[in-house]
Amino acid sequence: MGTYVEGGNNDILPSEGNSAHVIHSDFRDLAGGNSSNTEGKEDASLLESVRCSKKFDLVTGTPPYFRVDFATDSSASNASSSSSPSATPHHGAIVKSATIVQGGMPTSVQSAPARCEFRGGVEAYCNTASAMLSSSHGARFVVCENWLNNQRVYDGAKEAKLDIVTVLPVKGKENKNSPLFGVYVLRKANVESGENPSKKTEVLPPLAVRNQHGDWTTEYTGVMADMAIPS
C-alpha cells in the first residue's frame, strides 16, 4: 500500500523497507503543480514523481491550529475581525500583512507553518489529499483537527470532493463538556459503487484520555496498547 504523509514543511515519501524519503517543500505544491518552494533539485524531482503517481491509499495530516488572516495586494484589508476561515494567498501573491488570530508568533521559522496557517488550514490539507488520494475502495485520508474547526472540516471536505466517513471526538478528560479535537476519516466522494451518496457521517462516542481522577481511561489505555506505547 502506498502511503503519503502530509506535513507543514516536510513531505514524507514511501521507500523500500522501513525507510522514507523526505521532501523539503510546501505540501500545497503537490496539488498546485508548483515546485518553486523546494530546497533543491532532488526535492523537486521527488515532488514531481509523487505528484505524477497519485496512487496513494493512505494520506494523513495534522493541520496547524492557529488561524492567520492575510492582506494581499488584491484585498483591501484583512479579515481579522471576521469569524470566517483565513484565506490563504495563492502562490506568487504579494502579502502585505499576516495577522495571527489565535495564539502567538512562533520563534522558529520551521515550526511557524506547523502551528499557524501560513500555508493554509484544514481546507488546504483536504484539497491536497484529494489530489493525491487514489480512487480505490479502501483509500482514506485521516486528519486531526481542533474541535473548534469542526465545521471547517466538513466545508473543506465538500469543496475538495471528499466524504467524511467517520469522526472520533477526543476529550482531554471525561468531565469536559466539549471535545478538544477530532480525528476524521475521509475518502473520495461516492467511491463505493452503488452506495447512497447521501449516507451520513458516523460520529463515534467521544474518547476521553483521562478520567475524573486524572488516570488514563480504559479506552485510552487500549489505544496506547495498540500503538505499543507503555501506559
Side-chain angles (χ1 to χ4, degrees), residues 23-210:
I23 298 178
H24 300 278
S25 179
D26 186 327
F27 72 89
R28 294 173 296 171
D29 292 341
L30 288 166
N34 182 31
S35 300
S36 61
N37 295 307
T38 53
E39 295 185 4
K41 291 183 179 180
E42 182 180 359
D43 287 329
S45 177
L46 287 171
L47 182 69
E48 185 62 24
S49 176
V50 175
R51 190 161 51 210
C52 291
S53 67
K54 297 185 179 180
K55 297 182 184 297
F56 296 98
D57 294 324
L58 175 64
V59 177
T60 69
T62 306
Y65 37 86
F66 293 146
R67 212 181 88 210
V68 177
D69 285 339
F70 295 91
T72 67
D73 57 355
S74 59
S75 61
S77 61
N78 64 41
S80 58
S81 62
S82 172
S83 61
S84 62
S86 57
T88 306
H90 297 292
H91 288 309
I94 299 175
V95 177
K96 291 184 177 180
S97 66
T99 304
I100 299 177
V101 181
Q102 304 159 316
M105 172 66 76
T107 57
S108 170
V109 174
Q110 291 295 323
S111 67
R115 297 179 182 179
C116 304
E117 297 180 2
F118 290 112
R119 296 175 180 170
V122 67
E123 298 87 357
Y125 275 71
C126 286
N127 183 58
T128 299
S130 181
M132 301 310 301
L133 198 64
S134 78
S135 297
S136 65
H137 179 86
R140 295 292 186 267
F141 171 42
V142 183
V143 64
C144 174
E145 181 57 71
N146 179 351
W147 193 253
L148 293 175
N149 294 333
N150 180 55
Q151 186 58 48
R152 287 179 59 183
V153 181
Y154 283 84
D155 294 341
K158 182 178 180 180
E159 182 68 23
K161 295 181 173 55
L162 295 171
D163 287 334
I164 300 178
V165 182
T166 310
V167 179
L168 174 63
V170 180
K171 291 183 175 183
K173 209 169 184 178
E174 283 181 332
N175 59 350
K176 294 293 183 180
N177 292 326
S178 60
L180 181 62
F181 63 89
V183 179
Y184 303 79
V185 180
L186 303 89
R187 67 181 176 210
K188 287 279 193 179
N190 306 329
V191 71
E192 272 76 1
S193 176
E195 183 172 296
N196 183 357
S198 63
K199 180 181 178 182
K200 293 183 178 180
T201 300
E202 180 183 12
V203 180
L204 302 173
L207 168 69
V209 175
R210 295 183 182 275

Side-chain angles (χ1 to χ4, degrees), residues 208-224:
V209 175
R210 295 183 182 275
N211 60 28
Q212 296 184 17
H213 304 290
D215 301 319
W216 301 129
T217 62
T218 301
E219 293 77 13
Y220 188 69
T221 299
V223 171
M224 292 193 294

